[in-house]
Amino acid sequence: MAISTKLEMRQSQSLIMTPQLMQAIKLLQLSNLDLVAYVETELERNPLLEKSEAEAPASSEVEITGGDDGGPRVDDARDDPRAGDWMESQLETGAEGIASRMDTDLGNVFPDEPGVSAGPDPALLKGSDTFSGSSSGGVSEDYNLEAFVAGETSLVQMLEDQMHLVLSDPADKLVALHLINSLDENGYLYLDLEEAAEQLGTELERIESVLAVLQTFEPSGVFARSLSECLKLQLIDRNRFDPAMEKLLENIELLARHDYAALKRVCGVDDEDLSEMISEIKALDPKPGSGFGGNPVQTLVPDVLVRKAPDGSWTVELNSDTLPKVLVNQTYYSRITKTARNAAEKEYLTDCLQTANWLVKSLDQRARTILKVATEIVRQQDGFLTYGIEHLRPLNLKTIAEAIGMHESTISRVTSNKYMATQRGIFELKYFFSSAISATEGNDAHSAESVRHKLRQLIDAETPDDILSDDTLVKILKDEGVDIARRTVAKYREAMKIPSSVQRRREKRARR
């Protein structure tokens, strides 16, 4: 066959990911904390962006009422008719509609970039300037009330303070510091003492001697190498470590299995004594170091607020406190453009203006998309909000995507790290998506979350003489219209940390 050159015309579809589209996709999946950090970074980087303290637009609220057919209906007279899914339109118009037929999740293209930056340290109070006030008697702007808050004492610091009071030999202090720094967050010492002695160039006896001293420190139970040793140290500190208790700790696995008959034989005690010993064990702290140096508790701020209206409808609105508000300073751009000295400076200012405009537009579209998805979730889960978890409907991403005309990957990004505040608590948007469990006799399917709730209710209502086995639970659920297998019941029970029927029977009889 002869080789020749020829000219052909082919028509094909391809998705072009512009930087602006990548930015919009990235902003969708950020949590409110990550979004604030990202916007703060952009404010520092872009001179044309500035913060705005304006109130949220009126279109950030949607009311859901009951329709003529009894189902929920959206009444959003204030919503902007142009408020479509801008990112979806970019995908469809810029890539000739390929987004509507994509099966891959574009989120996998981008690496995880949390973008969380720590805030600045509180300003330290210095000298008399701290209390210098204005002529009107008020305090100065440098006055920082947070400077008076005492810092948390870490476990390491607390142990080092005790170590300096008890130990005087410099070699022993060096060994003690090595052991203190080897503790895990719960106060346990998982360290090979022989390797530590070789590393420090000392005798094993010195390591063990220093460890024995450290095990007397507060909080009681630290430097233990096992759970039994941790409980033993606390019992010794309380002067409650006797031969019977020693036998119990040596056979603590029997206590975990609630095999009280075997424990009575091993410890040589009767029912009353064993009950008192178990009560003492339960009063101990199995993680003595967990109360020190922990991360501060972060308040969960919802992105969407759902309220009950007086007429029985649901009002869905965005939480304006979580929405960063930025503006593009066009006046500053017009003024500074006139002073540009060369083409490079003009190009830089043009890029800044384009980036700023796209950021503002992306933030606005992100808010509208979250509101649209949350509104549809409330529409679908109206029964849960009204009557409780037993009425939680099976729901998947495809149902929401088809209802509001978006791609499933967009719904997945919107529901990640976003929270909704309802009268029943604060839930992640992904909580409302639950797999379906078939119903008997052709009825509506049940949500997996509602089935787990029924299981817990049945088990909590048990009596010591009537413990429900997995087979019995299956039969009860089938009588209530839930077609479920025994292995599924066992899987749900184990996921909820509920022991087997044998262990539950032992626990409830022991509580009599």
Side-chain angles (χ1 to χ4, degrees), residues 60-323:
S60 63
E61 182 174 325
V62 174
E63 184 177 354
I64 299 181
T65 60
D68 297 335
D69 57 352
R73 176 176 59 83
V74 175
D75 181 11
D76 187 14
R78 295 169 295 178
D79 196 11
D80 188 352
R82 298 171 298 175
D85 185 3
W86 168 78
M87 192 190 75
E88 290 286 336
S89 66
Q90 290 292 321
L91 282 170
E92 294 177 0
T93 60
E96 302 179 3
I98 193 173
S100 61
R101 296 183 295 275
M102 287 179 57
D103 293 329
T104 57
D105 190 346
L106 297 178
N108 298 331
V109 179
F110 307 101
D112 293 332
E113 298 176 5
V116 179
S117 59
D121 293 333
L124 297 177
L125 302 177
K126 298 181 180 180
S128 60
D129 293 339
T130 303
F131 303 96
S132 61
S134 62
S135 58
S136 61
V139 296
S140 67
E141 294 181 356
D142 295 335
Y143 183 84
N144 187 1
L145 191 60
E146 293 182 1
F148 294 97
V149 180
E152 293 185 2
T153 302
S154 66
L155 177 63
V156 171
Q157 184 62 47
M158 182 179 180
L159 295 174
E160 287 182 359
D161 292 342
Q162 298 178 71
M163 179 265 297
H164 289 300
L165 294 175
V166 175
L167 300 178
S168 58
D169 190 334
D172 290 344
K173 287 186 177 182
L174 180 62
V175 172
L177 286 174
H178 182 75
L179 296 178
I180 290 174
N181 292 321
S182 300
L183 291 177
D184 69 358
E185 58 184 8
N186 295 321
Y188 284 82
L189 181 66
Y190 297 112
L191 180 69
D192 191 324
L193 299 185
E194 293 183 355
E195 291 183 1
E198 183 178 353
Q199 181 181 357
L200 297 176
T202 186
E203 302 83 8
L204 178 61
E205 290 74 13
R206 179 186 288 272
I207 301 289
E208 294 175 344
S209 174
V210 172
L211 177 59
V213 175
L214 295 178
Q215 288 181 338
T216 63
F217 286 3
E218 293 293 335
S220 179
V222 291
F223 294 98
R225 288 157 289 183
S226 65
L227 175 60
S228 297
E229 187 177 19
C230 178
L231 301 178
K232 174 183 176 181
L233 293 174
Q234 296 181 57
L235 289 170
I236 292 175
D237 182 66
R238 300 185 181 192
N239 196 25
R240 288 294 298 126
F241 187 70
D242 52 30
M245 192 67 77
E246 182 178 7
K247 289 292 186 181
L248 188 150
L249 294 180
E250 291 176 353
N251 299 272
I252 197 169
E253 68 279 356
L254 297 177
L255 180 59
R257 296 199 303 264
H258 302 281
D259 193 350
Y260 301 126
L263 277 177
K264 286 190 294 183
R265 291 194 302 268
V266 171
C267 299
V269 294
D270 56 16
D271 291 337
E272 183 178 356
D273 290 337
L274 181 61
S275 178
E276 292 180 359
M277 292 167 62
I278 293 176
S279 298
E280 292 181 13
I281 292 292
K282 290 182 177 180
L284 303 178
D285 187 1
K287 299 178 180 180
S290 60
F292 296 84
N295 296 326
V297 177
Q298 297 290 342
T299 303
L300 186 61
V301 181
D303 300 84
V304 182
L305 306 176
V306 180
R307 297 186 177 94
K308 189 79 170 181
D311 60 354
S313 62
W314 298 106
T315 300
V316 184
E317 61 180 330
L318 294 174
N319 185 359
S320 59
D321 294 337
T322 65
L323 299 176

Side-chain angles (χ1 to χ4, degrees), residues 252-510:
I252 197 169
E253 68 279 356
L254 297 177
L255 180 59
R257 296 199 303 264
H258 302 281
D259 193 350
Y260 301 126
L263 277 177
K264 286 190 294 183
R265 291 194 302 268
V266 171
C267 299
V269 294
D270 56 16
D271 291 337
E272 183 178 356
D273 290 337
L274 181 61
S275 178
E276 292 180 359
M277 292 167 62
I278 293 176
S279 298
E280 292 181 13
I281 292 292
K282 290 182 177 180
L284 303 178
D285 187 1
K287 299 178 180 180
S290 60
F292 296 84
N295 296 326
V297 177
Q298 297 290 342
T299 303
L300 186 61
V301 181
D303 300 84
V304 182
L305 306 176
V306 180
R307 297 186 177 94
K308 189 79 170 181
D311 60 354
S313 62
W314 298 106
T315 300
V316 184
E317 61 180 330
L318 294 174
N319 185 359
S320 59
D321 294 337
T322 65
L323 299 176
K325 304 175 184 66
V326 294
L327 292 176
V328 182
N329 195 333
Q330 297 282 359
T331 304
Y332 180 67
Y333 171 76
S334 300
R335 185 173 69 251
I336 200 172
T337 302
K338 299 176 182 179
T339 62
R341 294 171 294 183
N342 50 49
E345 292 183 357
K346 291 183 178 180
E347 183 180 359
Y348 169 74
L349 293 174
T350 302
D351 290 342
C352 288
L353 179 63
Q354 183 180 9
T355 303
N357 286 329
W358 275 88
L359 177 61
V360 173
K361 192 172 184 180
S362 298
L363 290 174
D364 179 70
Q365 183 55 38
R366 176 185 181 273
R368 293 180 183 277
T369 305
I370 293 175
L371 181 62
K372 186 182 296 186
V373 173
T375 302
E376 184 60 28
I377 289 176
V378 172
R379 184 205 303 272
Q380 297 284 347
Q381 301 293 0
D382 176 70
F384 164 75
L385 296 173
T386 305
Y387 303 108
I389 193 173
E390 294 183 358
H391 297 268
L392 186 68
R393 292 179 53 189
L395 188 64
N396 53 33
L397 298 176
K398 184 178 180 181
T399 303
I400 299 294
E402 292 177 350
I404 61 179
M406 293 184 182
H407 195 266
E408 290 183 45
S409 61
T410 303
I411 308 301
S412 178
R413 294 186 186 93
V414 171
T415 55
S416 297
N417 302 314
K418 312 296 188 305
Y419 294 86
M420 177 187 293
T422 70
Q423 64 179 7
R424 301 193 178 276
I426 299 179
F427 302 93
E428 188 177 11
L429 294 185
K430 285 190 177 294
Y431 172 84
F432 298 98
F433 296 89
S434 177
S435 58
I437 296 180
S438 302
T440 58
E441 300 179 358
N443 297 323
D444 293 336
H446 299 269
S447 167
E449 190 67 31
S450 64
V451 173
R452 281 191 285 266
H453 179 70
K454 289 181 180 179
L455 281 174
R456 182 172 289 280
Q457 282 186 325
L458 291 172
I459 292 174
D460 289 343
E462 291 176 334
T463 62
D465 297 326
D466 186 19
I467 301 298
L468 304 176
S469 64
D470 291 347
D471 291 325
T472 305
L473 291 171
V474 169
K475 185 178 183 302
I476 294 175
L477 290 175
K478 286 188 175 181
D479 292 340
E480 295 183 2
V482 182
D483 187 9
I484 190 171
R486 181 185 180 279
R487 62 179 179 275
T488 306
V489 170
K491 182 180 70 173
Y492 287 172
R493 176 178 53 77
E494 292 171 359
M496 293 186 292
K497 307 297 183 183
I498 298 177
S500 64
S501 58
V502 176
Q503 292 176 313
R504 298 201 305 274
R505 182 177 292 107
R506 290 173 179 173
E507 288 181 4
K508 295 193 176 185
R509 287 181 177 176

